[in-house]
Structure formats: structure tokens, C-alpha cells
Amino acid sequence: MAFYEKKLSRQDIYDGYIIHVHKDEVELPDGNTSFREIVDHHGGVCIVAVDSDGGVFTVRQFRYAYGREITEIPAGKLEAGEDPLDCAARELSEETGCTAEKIESLGVIYPTPGYASEVIHIYLATGLKRGESHLDEDEFLEAKKIPFKDLERMVLTGEINDAKTVVGVMRAKYVLGL
Amino acid sequence: MAFYEKKLSRQDIYDGYIIHVHKDEVELPDGNTSFREIVDHHGGVCIVAVDSDGGVFTVRQFRYAYGREITEIPAGKLEAGEDPLDCAARELSEETGCTAEKIESLGVIYPTPGYASEVIHIYLATGLKRGESHLDEDEFLEAKKIPFKDLERMVLTGEINDAKTVVGVMRAKYVLGL
């Protein structure tokens, strides 16, 4: 690889509940050295769940980092070693009460390659059956179905700005041929 | 706001060069308490630079967090207090050597609302004039133009997975009516 950066040393900074932070000294491609501050995270999943009426499940929740509520597709953190597909089925059920006949991969995204190693796995869920939602104890959100065409307009015009939601909706449109 | 989370206390964890980490105790909507681990970042910009031949400038660079090279649109970090539009023009020039007659906003994205406060501003640059690129001293990348239709296929099929690149390309397509 032309531009490889070699780790010279690592300073562990924070071993938290969902994030782990370290600062590495690296050798750059030209032989000089620099530092890279990195946030490690187990990764996550998100689900574009399309109902038989063409509506897509979204959730509205308070995001402390931004100090306000935003709209996203259902999502959650991977537990260590968990299969992303299992995680997607679990989060879909927890946040919307739905089970899906079919869950297929829409690939992954790298949300912030400059400083975080997180990978988010995106799934398309169809053949939905409604049940009861059952949220985590520190989770408060409102699930709402939005027609696909409206959601597409919202992610393209900036009414919805959550990265995984924009990517999920546009890849689902591509796969579904909408 | 129905789901507001109130800060009770803050523990500063790391005051780094590009990231700042803190852990807050919060009061949840039901009155219980929990913790939120938050990564603060000045934010960034990225640019969908479309040339007169329909090609879009991309950059390929080693991303230490993933341990490999990935393809992205030109991007960079905001300096404290910097206007995102000025930052976009600067990064476009640094990474591709181009100046643009017109730079317009494609809105913002929230890359990781679960734990980071970062906002990425997306711009569409047209009317490009070529010049000399001039990278930061710890920056090593290769700029390459990709035809718009090819890039669209790559972001939708998962050949390119950088979140800001997928969102930027799809919003540019929408605005340009492609």
C-alpha cells in the first residue's frame, strides 16, 4: 500500500462503556512521525424496514450529543462478537415491535474515517409482522412510519441528516428498484 | 421536548488535538439517571466537485482507524470559528488543486449521533479551474476523477462506504437533476 502508516507506540486514554480512545504515534509514508487519535467502537447496525404499504419505520429520539431530538431509522450497538444480522433483528423488534420475513444486507458505512474505527451494518427488512416494542431501560423513542417517497425527499433535502438513515434509504431504493 | 435528557454532571476525560471526550451523568425522561460518553469535534466539510466533463474528484488515502486505504470525496476539519464555506474552498484547493466558480451547500450530516457531536457540512463545487494541489505535511493522498454515474453506482453498491461520500453524491445528483 502506497500510503501505509505504521504504528510506533500506543497510549490508551479511555476504556469506556461504548467507546475506547487511544492515541498512537505513527510513521508516515515519508518517514516522518505524527499522532493519530482514534475512537474504537464495537460497531452498529441499522435497519430500513419497509412495510407492505410502502411506509418505512423511523424513530425519533433525543440525542444528547446534539442536545435535541432527531429522526433516524431503527439502529443499535453491536455487542462484542454479536452477528450483525442477529443484532438487526433484535433492534428492529425492540424499537418497532416488528419481525421480518426477510432481512438482507445493504452493505456497511464508515461514519467518520478520520478518527473512528466504527463500522455500521445496514439492512433492508421486508415482510414485516407487527408485535410489541420493548425498549432498553435507558432508551426513549417514538416510532413512526413515513412513506418511502417522503423519506427519500427528506434525506435528500436535509430534513433528515443522520448519515446511516440517508445511506440506508438511498441503498434500499436502489435494491428495491423504486 | 418529550424526551429531553438533562445534564447532571460532567467528567472531562480527554482534551486532544482533534477530539475532546467527556462523560456526563444525565437525568432520563423517566427521572432515572444514566451516563452518556460523548466525543466532541469541531466538525468538518466535504466537497462534491463536479468537473465540466461530468467527472467527480475523489481522493484515496490511508485511514489509520481502519488500517487501509479508502476512497472519499475531498474533506477536512474545520478550524475553531472557521466558516465552513471557506474551509470547503481551502480543502478543495489543497487536495485537488481546483478552485470553483460556484460552491453551494448540500446541507449537513450527523455521522454518529449516538456518541459524537460532529457535524459535517457538504458542498457542491462546479465551474472548476485546475491548479496545483498543496497537501498538509501529514497528509498523503491520491486524487482521481471518477465519472458521476460510476461513482453513483459505487456508493449505492457498497464499493465506496464513506458516509459523507455516499450522502454527498446522492444529494448532488438530486440538486443537479442527474
Side-chain angles (χ1 to χ4, degrees):
Chain A
M1 267 185 281
F3 298 132
Y4 188 71
E5 297 176 357
K6 182 184 168 190
K7 179 171 82 172
L8 300 176
S9 65
R10 170 161 302 187
Q11 178 192 354
D12 287 313
I13 288 169
Y14 178 61
D15 186 28
Y17 177 62
I18 63 160
I19 59 172
H20 309 273
V21 182
H22 57 93
K23 180 181 177 180
D24 289 11
E25 186 176 15
V26 302
E27 184 182 300
L28 298 173
D30 64 2
N32 287 322
T33 60
S34 186
F35 289 94
R36 300 290 180 219
E37 297 168 337
I38 302 293
V39 177
D40 287 323
H41 183 284
H42 281 153
V45 305
C46 61
I47 310 102
V48 185
V50 186
D51 213 350
S52 53
D53 62 2
V56 180
F57 281 90
T58 64
V59 294
R60 191 158 178 86
Q61 64 189 310
F62 186 84
R63 287 302 202 174
Y64 187 78
Y66 292 117
R68 63 185 190 81
E69 292 181 7
I70 69 173
T71 296
E72 305 167 44
I73 54 176
K77 290 182 289 292
L78 279 168
E79 324 233 323
E82 186 179 24
D83 185 305
L85 184 64
D86 295 341
C87 183
R90 177 171 54 77
E91 292 290 345
L92 179 65
S93 169
E94 283 181 9
E95 298 194 355
T96 71
C98 291
T99 54
E101 277 176 20
K102 186 176 175 187
I103 301 185
E104 59 192 301
S105 175
L106 295 176
V108 300
I109 56 167
Y110 308 142
T112 47
Y115 64 88
S117 64
E118 183 182 7
V119 172
I120 301 175
H121 302 257
I122 311 178
Y123 291 94
L124 172 63
T126 50
L128 304 180
K129 292 212 176 77
R130 298 297 287 270
E132 288 291 310
S133 62
H134 41 98
L135 299 170
D136 286 343
E137 61 176 16
D138 67 343
E139 201 169 37
F140 300 86
L141 56 79
E142 180 189 23
K144 182 185 170 186
K145 247 178 14 181
I146 298 179
F148 200 102
K149 279 287 164 200
D150 292 348
L151 191 57
E152 182 189 351
R153 180 184 44 76
M154 292 164 88
V155 302
L156 290 175
T157 59
E159 199 170 333
I160 291 177
N161 291 314
D162 172 54
K164 64 185 176 298
T165 301
V166 184
V167 178
V169 168
M170 297 315 295
R171 286 190 180 169
K173 175 186 158 95
Y174 180 74
V175 165
L176 292 168
L178 295 176
Chain B
M1 267 185 281
F3 298 132
Y4 189 73
E5 296 176 0
K6 182 184 168 189
K7 179 173 81 173
L8 299 176
S9 65
R10 170 160 302 185
Q11 179 192 354
D12 287 314
I13 288 169
Y14 177 60
D15 185 30
Y17 176 62
I18 63 161
I19 59 172
H20 309 272
V21 181
H22 56 94
K23 180 181 178 181
D24 289 10
E25 187 178 15
V26 301
E27 184 181 300
L28 299 172
D30 65 0
N32 287 321
T33 61
S34 186
F35 289 96
R36 299 292 179 218
E37 296 169 337
I38 302 293
V39 177
D40 287 323
H41 183 284
H42 281 153
V45 304
C46 61
I47 309 102
V48 186
V50 186
D51 213 350
S52 53
D53 63 1
V56 179
F57 281 90
T58 63
V59 294
R60 192 160 176 84
Q61 64 189 309
F62 186 83
R63 287 303 201 173
Y64 187 78
Y66 292 117
R68 62 184 190 81
E69 290 181 10
I70 69 173
T71 296
E72 305 167 45
I73 52 175
K77 290 182 290 291
L78 280 169
E79 324 233 324
E82 186 179 24
D83 185 305
L85 185 64
D86 295 341
C87 183
R90 176 170 55 78
E91 292 290 346
L92 179 65
S93 168
E94 283 180 9
E95 298 193 356
T96 71
C98 292
T99 54
E101 277 175 22
K102 186 176 175 187
I103 301 184
E104 59 192 301
S105 174
L106 296 175
V108 301
I109 57 168
Y110 307 143
T112 47
Y115 63 88
S117 64
E118 183 182 6
V119 172
I120 300 175
H121 301 258
I122 312 177
Y123 291 94
L124 172 62
T126 50
L128 304 180
K129 292 209 177 79
R130 296 300 285 270
E132 287 292 310
S133 64
H134 40 100
L135 299 170
D136 286 343
E137 61 177 12
D138 68 344
E139 202 169 36
F140 300 86
L141 55 80
E142 180 189 22
K144 183 185 170 188
K145 246 177 16 179
I146 298 179
F148 201 101
K149 278 288 162 200
D150 291 350
L151 192 56
E152 180 187 352
R153 179 185 44 75
M154 292 164 90
V155 302
L156 290 175
T157 59
E159 199 171 331
I160 290 178
N161 291 313
D162 171 53
K164 64 184 176 299
T165 301
V166 184
V167 177
V169 168
M170 297 316 294
R171 285 190 179 170
K173 176 187 157 94
Y174 180 72
V175 164
L176 292 168
L178 296 175

